[in-house]
Amino acid sequence: MNGRMSPLPDPNTLLGFRCIQLLDWLSDMRLERPNVLPDVRFFLARLDLATDVDEEEAPEWLPHVLSTLGSSGLVNLHKVLSSYLDFGLQLTDEGLRDIAERAERRRDRPARRAVARRGVLRWLDDVSADVHYWPELQTIFSSPWGTYEGEYLTIGDVVGACEYLMAQKLVADAPLRLTAAGNDCVDNHGGDVSQYFEDQKPRSNFTTHFHQQVGNLQLAQGNHDVQQNQRVEGMSGADLALLAQALREAAPVLGLSEAKQAELAHVATQMEEAAEGDELPQSRVQQLMNWGRTILTDASQSALAQILIAITGGVAGG
């Protein structure tokens, strides 16, 4: 994986959710019973499912979960008996890294809020097919849309998302339902609220091209948004991608903890994604630079870390 995002299915699908459940369980088992090789039936017991079953009676999602995790390189499947229900399960180094990266993403509160808002919109869209049924809020947790990174959202997450969506006129109350704008957000933006509002901003016909590297130049024409092909603090998309690769290559040699290495790799991935667009999202790039610099300060005794801190600090304006 080389520090990139997890190769698992979308967490808001049954397969993705079950895969993450199994990974989280294996992580817990490493701490609870470090000398035990847990098997598939032990996992079923943790889910309060029957364990004395044969393959035909097992949950239909189970073989797909095992196949997905095995082929992704996150889990080693040790064949003990002929049935996959008796396979021993062991996290690989990539599996441990995947868990560490996900733990960092779960602590990302803005991302959590964004996913909760998308989840409420997608859930309401699903249940709206039954015109005679007005949903109760807690039923979101029995749908694919009540989780974030394979972890159940809290009722506070969901209530906060509903309050925001109602304030933005995407959801109406009494009964809870999508508005026309909410339907548009789901149909044309997959429930991505930020992208929906970004596309609602008025556009002008001004196009300004910069043919030299520029810094934090802010330009307005007629108080309208302007298309500006500019670079962030003299940095192009190619430069940002190169810096991301440098951070990823440096992470293992800076003396950082495994979790911090995973976090720095995640920052690098976010930089690469930002660099893929036609224009660099200035505020997002600066946020990523600050994030990367904060991580690097844990290895500030390293000359390489000091160089990277200076680069990220310069771009972030620090």
Side-chain angles (χ1 to χ4, degrees):
M1 294 190 336
N2 294 323
R4 298 194 65 82
M5 299 294 283
S6 170
L8 297 178
D10 187 330
N12 291 113
T13 62
L14 176 61
L15 180 58
F17 177 67
R18 292 299 190 189
C19 284
I20 296 172
Q21 268 192 319
L22 195 149
L23 287 171
D24 285 345
W25 172 70
L26 285 176
S27 178
D28 291 341
M29 289 298 297
R30 290 181 73 248
L31 299 176
E32 295 173 8
R33 299 189 177 185
N35 298 320
V36 172
L37 181 66
D39 61 30
V40 177
R41 294 183 192 273
F42 201 176
F43 175 58
L44 293 177
R46 176 62 68 92
L47 298 180
D48 293 325
L49 299 174
T51 60
D52 55 342
V53 296
D54 57 28
E55 292 183 2
E56 293 182 355
E57 299 170 317
E60 62 181 13
W61 48 262
L62 184 56
H64 302 296
V65 167
L66 297 175
S67 174
T68 299
L69 291 173
S71 62
S72 68
L74 301 179
V75 172
N76 285 328
L77 307 177
H78 298 279
K79 185 174 182 180
V80 179
L81 299 175
S82 59
S83 172
Y84 69 77
L85 292 168
D86 298 300
F87 282 3
L89 306 172
Q90 183 182 37
L91 285 171
T92 64
D93 289 342
E94 293 296 335
L96 291 169
R97 180 176 294 112
D98 183 85
I99 290 169
E101 291 175 353
R102 184 172 298 103
E104 292 298 330
R105 295 197 296 274
R106 284 172 173 170
R107 287 192 283 270
D108 188 335
R109 293 182 61 81
R112 189 182 187 91
R113 286 193 292 268
V115 170
R117 293 165 186 170
R118 182 190 71 154
V120 168
L121 291 175
R122 297 298 298 268
W123 164 68
L124 283 173
D125 183 59
D126 284 350
V127 299
S128 67
D130 186 350
V131 296
H132 302 293
Y133 169 70
W134 298 113
E136 295 182 359
L137 190 59
Q138 63 267 27
T139 61
I140 191 174
F141 298 113
S142 59
S143 79
W145 304 108
T147 65
Y148 170 59
E149 288 290 346
E151 179 180 74
Y152 282 110
L153 295 166
T154 67
I155 190 64
D157 292 329
V158 177
V159 169
C162 288
E163 291 175 345
Y164 176 85
L165 294 170
M166 285 188 281
Q168 299 300 323
K169 310 300 183 185
L170 297 175
V171 167
D173 194 11
L176 199 62
R177 65 197 184 279
L178 292 177
T179 63
N183 277 309
D184 183 34
C185 181
V186 171
D187 292 343
N188 297 309
H189 300 85
D192 186 328
V193 177
S194 296
Q195 188 59 54
Y196 171 76
F197 284 119
E198 181 66 26
D199 287 352
Q200 299 305 304
K201 291 180 179 179
R203 305 295 181 188
S204 70
N205 293 324
F206 293 112
T207 301
T208 303
H209 298 278
F210 295 99
H211 299 288
Q212 299 182 41
Q213 294 185 352
V214 299
N216 274 338
L217 175 64
Q218 300 296 322
L219 178 66
Q221 296 181 1
N223 293 322
H224 291 289
D225 292 337
V226 181
Q227 179 185 344
Q228 302 179 38
N229 294 339
Q230 59 175 305
R231 305 179 180 190
V232 180
E233 289 286 354
M235 175 168 282
S236 67
D239 295 333
L240 183 60
L242 184 61
L243 176 57
Q245 184 61 31
L247 291 175
R248 178 170 290 113
E249 292 177 359
V253 300
L254 294 177
L256 295 169
S257 67
E258 184 174 286
K260 289 295 183 181
Q261 290 182 46
E263 185 178 3
L264 191 60
H266 179 58
V267 172
T269 298
Q270 296 294 306
M271 288 181 178
E272 289 167 341
E273 292 176 356
E276 290 174 356
D278 294 333
E279 297 180 358
L280 290 181
Q282 180 171 324
S283 62
R284 178 58 175 160
V285 171
Q286 291 176 341
Q287 179 187 49
L288 290 170
M289 292 296 174
N290 286 328
W291 188 1
R293 183 174 51 167
T294 299
I295 300 169
L296 290 167
T297 55
D298 286 352
S300 58
Q301 72 279 5
S302 162
L304 177 57
Q306 291 177 21
I307 293 172
L308 292 172
I309 288 171
I311 295 172
T312 54
V315 175

